[in-house]
């Protein structure tokens, strides 16, 4: 399946999309902004250009993808600001996708915490984009994945910050290589963390606000103890529990070292590519479920049939595959609704 064979589109439109992708992969800041706007444009007459752009960057997603999650008030945005500064000191380019609650009136992002990320906003090596959660009730909106694909084709590190923490935010593990959980001392006990399934997902924990003293030390100890009690995403690795203060810049270098160590760990064991393949499949399945429901997805056959269809062409973008499988579902639904003998209707 290729962009041209799936849907011809306009030759000039496809060529423009490919040229834009080349500029994105070169790290051109204006091209990144233009591309992010393009993948968020769902007008039907822009569809082919959008898919061609995503196809063109799909094989260039070199940037490390990191999710940052934690309860509201844990200091995620302040920590991100400190991480961006620390990575810039190591000459790494950085992108940040901050998922914000949506306004009930406008549907747009509220953007309250984004003001804390202003210290790096004028740095040419940093790209920040806020995304509204829209109708996902705290999870990731549909444009998060494509936006991440664009940024990771252009930058060394890309962070995704969730609205809060909970089952709805667990979807972030489908789009990142490494997940960091930011804990706030005295914000909840270990049982609450375990009930929420929080301890199963992260690859690294950071207990923020270590300046609070004993309560921060106790929170870190509880997390370490809890990691031995339940299941983990990677049963062969115990996630480090670090402490520090994002406000005071304490523990940030150790956290960046921890991120680099985990990236090397994934690469050495081939787990990084495995996570991206698994995440790609889940993104496609989730998008199809949202658009067509279980009844519609069942038109593609069994779960094994769906997996085979998704893996048939790993070179195309997630959105291209969703588009192709969606058209198969729509044709099947149309045939099911057609009368057996129109002449007898």
């Amino acid at each position: 399946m290729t962009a041209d064979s799936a849907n011809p589109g306009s030759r000039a439109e496809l060529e423009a999309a490919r040229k834009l992708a080349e500029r994105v992969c070169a790290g051109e800041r204006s091209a990144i902004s233009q591309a992010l706007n393009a993948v968020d444009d769902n007008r039907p007459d822009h569809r082919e250009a959008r898919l061609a752009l995503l196809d063109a960057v799909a094989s260039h997603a070199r940037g490390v993808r990191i999710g940052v999650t934690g309860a509201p008030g844990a200091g995620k945005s302040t920590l991100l600001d400190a991480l961006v500064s620390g990575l810039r000191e190591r000459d790494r380019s950085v992108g940040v996708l901050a998922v914000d609650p949506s306004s009930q009136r406008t549907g747009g992002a509220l953007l309250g915490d984004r003001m804390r990320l202003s210290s790096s906003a004028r740095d040419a090596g940093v790209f920040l984009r806020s995304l509204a959660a829209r109708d996902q009730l705290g999870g990731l909106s549909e444009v998060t994945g494509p936006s991440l694909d664009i940024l990771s084709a252009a930058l060394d590190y890309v962070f995704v910050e969730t609205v809060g923490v909970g089952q709805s935010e667990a979807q972030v593990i489908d789009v990142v290589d490494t997940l960091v959980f930011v804990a706030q001392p005295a914000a909840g006990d270990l049982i609450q963390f375990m009930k929420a399934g929080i301890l199963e997902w992260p690859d690294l924990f950071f207990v923020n606000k270590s300046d609070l003293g004993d309560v921060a030390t106790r929170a870190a100890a509880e997390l370490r103890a809890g990691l031995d009690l339940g299941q983990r995403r990677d049963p062969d690795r115990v996630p480090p529990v670090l402490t520090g203060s994002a406000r005071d810049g304490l523990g940030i270098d150790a956290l960046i070292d921890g991120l680099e160590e985990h990236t090397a760990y994934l690469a050495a064991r081939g787990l990084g590519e495995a996570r991206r393949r698994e995440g790609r499949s889940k993104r496609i399945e989730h998008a199809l479920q949202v658009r067509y429901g279980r009844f519609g997805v069942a038109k593609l056959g069994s779960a094994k049939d769906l997996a085979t269809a998704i893996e048939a062409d790993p070179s195309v973008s997630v959105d291209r595959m969703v588009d192709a499988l969606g058209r198969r579902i729509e044709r099947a639904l149309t045939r099911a609704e057609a009368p057996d003998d129109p002449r007898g209707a």
Side-chain angles (χ1 to χ4, degrees):
M1 183 191 308
T2 65
D4 294 333
S5 63
N7 196 319
S10 156
R11 183 180 296 275
E13 188 179 55
L14 298 179
E15 184 58 27
R18 291 192 183 104
K19 288 183 177 178
L20 177 59
E22 290 176 1
R23 293 169 54 210
V24 168
C25 295
E28 190 178 320
R29 192 179 177 88
S30 62
I32 297 172
S33 180
Q34 187 180 346
L36 289 175
N37 291 337
V39 299
D40 196 21
D41 187 342
N42 287 316
R43 287 176 294 178
D45 55 340
H46 288 225
R47 173 170 149 271
E48 274 310 311
R50 178 179 185 276
L51 294 177
L53 172 62
L54 290 169
D55 284 342
V57 302
S59 61
H60 299 279
R62 61 181 175 83
V64 179
R65 307 176 181 205
I66 299 170
V68 177
T69 189
K76 299 189 296 295
S77 298
T78 306
L79 178 61
L80 270 175
D81 201 22
L83 283 171
V84 169
S85 297
L87 285 166
R88 290 301 295 147
E89 290 176 1
R90 301 187 187 197
D91 200 27
R92 306 298 172 86
S93 57
V94 187
V96 178
L97 282 179
V99 181
D100 284 291
S102 295
S103 164
Q104 293 295 315
R105 184 173 63 85
T106 67
L110 293 175
L111 308 180
D113 284 347
R114 301 291 77 74
M115 298 300 291
R116 298 176 190 169
L117 287 168
S118 59
S119 65
S120 303
R122 296 182 181 178
D123 185 337
V126 179
F127 199 100
L128 169 65
R129 176 63 63 98
S130 286
L131 299 175
R134 300 178 182 173
D135 58 349
Q136 295 301 305
L137 299 175
L140 305 180
S141 66
E142 194 170 340
V143 75
T144 303
S147 299
L148 190 59
D149 294 337
I150 294 294
L151 289 179
S152 63
L155 304 165
D156 296 324
Y157 280 83
V158 184
F159 291 89
V160 183
E161 179 192 357
T162 68
V163 174
V165 64
Q167 293 293 339
S168 59
E169 281 81 9
Q171 190 187 352
V172 74
I173 65 174
D174 296 337
V175 297
V176 300
D177 306 311
T178 300
L179 181 62
V180 177
F181 178 79
V182 185
Q184 178 173 243
D189 60 28
L190 180 61
I191 300 301
Q192 288 176 321
F193 287 147
M194 295 181 69
K195 282 183 177 179
I198 292 170
L199 300 185
E200 299 175 15
W201 314 324
D203 302 292
L204 200 152
F205 292 83
F206 185 81
V207 179
N208 196 18
K209 307 181 183 179
S210 61
D211 51 295
L212 295 178
D214 291 344
V215 289
T217 303
R218 188 161 54 247
E222 289 180 350
L223 282 171
R224 291 188 185 102
L227 293 175
D228 291 329
L229 300 178
Q231 295 183 338
R232 296 191 297 269
R233 186 183 185 192
D234 183 350
D236 297 327
R237 178 180 177 274
V238 179
V241 179
L242 306 177
T243 60
S245 168
R247 184 195 64 182
D248 299 331
L250 299 175
I252 304 305
D253 280 339
L255 178 55
I256 293 174
D257 289 343
L259 294 174
E260 292 184 341
E261 180 277 327
H262 188 245
T263 300
Y265 169 84
L266 293 177
R269 289 161 177 77
L271 296 175
E273 286 301 316
R275 284 191 174 191
R276 289 201 176 190
R277 285 196 301 272
E278 182 181 0
R280 179 177 184 273
S281 295
K282 289 186 176 179
R283 283 172 60 189
I284 293 169
E285 292 173 14
H286 177 76
L288 292 173
Q289 289 279 0
V290 169
R291 294 185 188 182
Y292 302 101
R294 291 183 180 179
F295 179 78
V297 174
K299 296 298 180 184
L300 295 172
S302 66
K304 184 178 180 180
D305 293 334
L306 176 57
T308 301
I310 290 173
E311 294 167 4
D313 192 349
S315 65
V316 300
S317 64
V318 166
D319 286 53
R320 175 71 69 185
M321 185 59 73
V322 170
D323 187 71
L325 294 177
R327 282 186 277 112
R328 282 177 53 184
I329 292 173
E330 290 167 7
R331 287 196 295 270
L333 291 172
T334 301
R335 287 196 299 270
E337 291 177 356
D340 293 335
D341 183 359
R343 293 169 298 182

